Amino acid sequence: MIKDKYSSNMFKLAFLSISLLLTSTASISITIPKMQQTFANQSATAVEALVTASNITVMIFVLLSPFIVRVFGTRKTVLTGLFLAGVSGVVPMFSDNYFLVYISRLVLGAGLGMFNSLAVSLINDFWSGDTRNKMLGFQSAVQSVGQTVTTFIAGILVNYNWHYSYSIYFLALVSFILFLVYVPDTTTKDDLVTNEVVEKPKQSINSYVLFSSFGLLISFALLMAVFLKSAGFVVEEKFENASFIGTALSVYTLVGFLGSLLYGYIVKITKQYTFSLSYAICSYTENPDRFISRA
């Protein structure tokens, strides 16, 4: 039976809050045109690298996360990651030094990578059954909300000064406090939720997992390209209201939030076909005329 402390709203809120900034690295892509003016001695590619640099260390520390957890424990790993993300994330607010900003972005990615996978894997430790599916949906929804809110705020603040857009990373410190206060240490077996005593079978990576992982890699690479190039595209095409891109990207992620929020209910119906169905919808919405013309 699920322990009461894992059923409380504040525990769930504190746990889900760590997902707010997991996909925020693309939120400040709208600052690229303004940063190019500040870093005029750097190439356009070098300035764009300030956005993508954090993805490199995110990937590295996602892989290192299991080893870090073994040494420091789950709670300390998450708290350390949040602290690093919060402190390094706001460094660009106070600096015009390209290399200092670049290093801060690398540290930001390291912090996010430390608890990136834990934001999902810990759900299996705390909850099970329908509650687990709902929490998985909520976790993805919070990611979408975080990206929507941070993109929207960054889009507004960039009109005043691109430095201000990086204030969105103060949210990491809010998550740090919530997690510190409401989420206990989960390194002992007694702290983990078990509805029943089950011996977990040995897990292995099969061809389906590899294929799915490759598909997700391509999907997120394309998604990152949309965020990375959209601001530059608006400037190059000389749109009258260039700042609207922040709102447009926020709406994009808001729709993702709605889908994530309903995930727990959708997966009950679509079951193992959920992944395939989502790609079918993406393909249709990307080019609906192609499907209509074939009908």
Side-chain angles (χ1 to χ4, degrees), residues 25 28 35 39 45-54 97-99 101-103 105-106 162 166:
T25 54
I28 50 85
M35 286 195 296
F39 303 119
T45 302
V47 175
E48 289 177 352
L50 293 176
V51 177
T52 59
S54 56
N97 185 298
Y98 175 85
F99 294 101
V101 173
Y102 190 85
I103 294 298
R105 296 294 293 173
L106 291 176
W162 69 263
Y166 286 83

Side-chain angles (χ1 to χ4, degrees):
M1 185 176 183
I2 296 178
K3 297 179 182 179
D4 291 339
K5 63 179 178 181
Y6 298 138
S7 302
S8 69
N9 291 331
M10 286 308 301
F11 174 83
K12 292 179 179 178
L13 175 64
F15 177 81
L16 291 173
S17 71
I18 69 175
S19 298
L20 277 172
L21 294 176
L22 288 182
T23 54
S24 65
T25 54
S27 298
I28 50 85
S29 61
I30 56 178
T31 66
I32 290 176
K34 296 289 183 68
M35 286 195 296
Q36 287 176 339
Q37 297 174 15
T38 301
F39 303 119
N41 59 332
Q42 300 290 335
S43 66
T45 302
V47 175
E48 289 177 352
L50 293 176
V51 177
T52 59
S54 56
N55 294 333
I56 299 173
T57 45
V58 164
M59 179 179 65
I60 294 173
F61 276 81
V62 164
L63 296 175
L64 293 177
S65 178
F67 304 101
I68 297 174
V69 169
R70 290 178 187 175
V71 176
F72 298 103
T74 301
R75 189 166 184 265
K76 289 181 180 179
T77 299
V78 174
L79 290 173
T80 302
L82 287 169
F83 180 80
L84 290 176
V87 173
S88 62
V90 299
V91 166
M93 285 186 66
F94 312 103
S95 177
D96 282 331
N97 185 298
Y98 175 85
F99 294 101
L100 179 59
V101 173
Y102 190 85
I103 294 298
S104 72
R105 296 294 293 173
L106 291 176
V107 177
L108 169 69
L112 294 176
M114 289 177 68
F115 62 88
N116 191 297
S117 60
L118 294 174
V120 176
S121 63
L122 285 178
I123 292 177
N124 293 320
D125 292 333
F126 292 136
W127 299 281
S128 62
D130 290 341
T131 303
R132 178 180 58 194
N133 289 335
K134 289 180 180 179
M135 288 301 297
L136 285 171
F138 291 157
Q139 187 275 332
S140 185
V142 170
Q143 277 190 215
S144 297
V145 168
Q147 190 169 359
T148 300
V149 171
T150 53
T151 302
F152 183 72
I153 293 175
I156 293 176
L157 295 178
V158 74
N159 293 316
Y160 301 96
N161 191 311
W162 69 263
H163 292 280
Y164 298 159
S165 296
Y166 286 83
S167 62
I168 61 175
Y169 291 104
F170 280 119
L171 285 173
L173 300 180
V174 175
S175 299
F176 176 89
I177 295 172
L178 287 173
F179 199 89
L180 178 66
V181 174
Y182 293 103
V183 179
D185 189 1
T186 60
T187 55
T188 62
K189 292 183 179 180
D190 292 338
D191 288 326
L192 302 179
V193 173
T194 52
N195 276 19
E196 51 191 75
V197 178
V198 177
E199 291 185 6
K200 293 184 178 181
K202 183 178 180 180
Q203 297 181 343
S204 60
I205 300 176
N206 54 37
S207 58
Y208 178 78
V209 173
L210 292 174
F211 177 76
S212 300
S213 299
F214 180 75
L216 288 173
L217 174 64
I218 299 300
S219 299
F220 282 106
L222 295 174
L223 179 61
M224 189 64 187
V226 171
F227 278 87
L228 187 62
K229 295 296 184 180
S230 57
F233 172 76
V234 170
V235 173
E236 290 176 4
E237 295 298 317
K238 298 180 180 179
F239 287 8
E240 293 183 2
N241 183 17
S243 62
F244 90 98
I245 191 64
T247 303
L249 293 176
S250 296
V251 172
Y252 177 86
T253 53
L254 180 60
V255 175
F257 157 73
L258 296 177
S260 300
L261 192 64
L262 298 174
Y263 173 80
Y265 304 97
I266 294 173
V267 75
K268 285 184 178 180
I269 301 174
T270 57
K271 295 181 171 48
Q272 71 269 26
Y273 303 108
T274 306
F275 191 73
S276 301
L277 180 62
S278 64
Y279 271 103
I281 294 174
C282 289
S283 298
Y284 175 76
T285 53
E286 182 67 22
N287 192 357
D289 292 337
R290 179 179 59 187
F291 289 87
I292 294 174
S293 62
R294 289 182 179 178

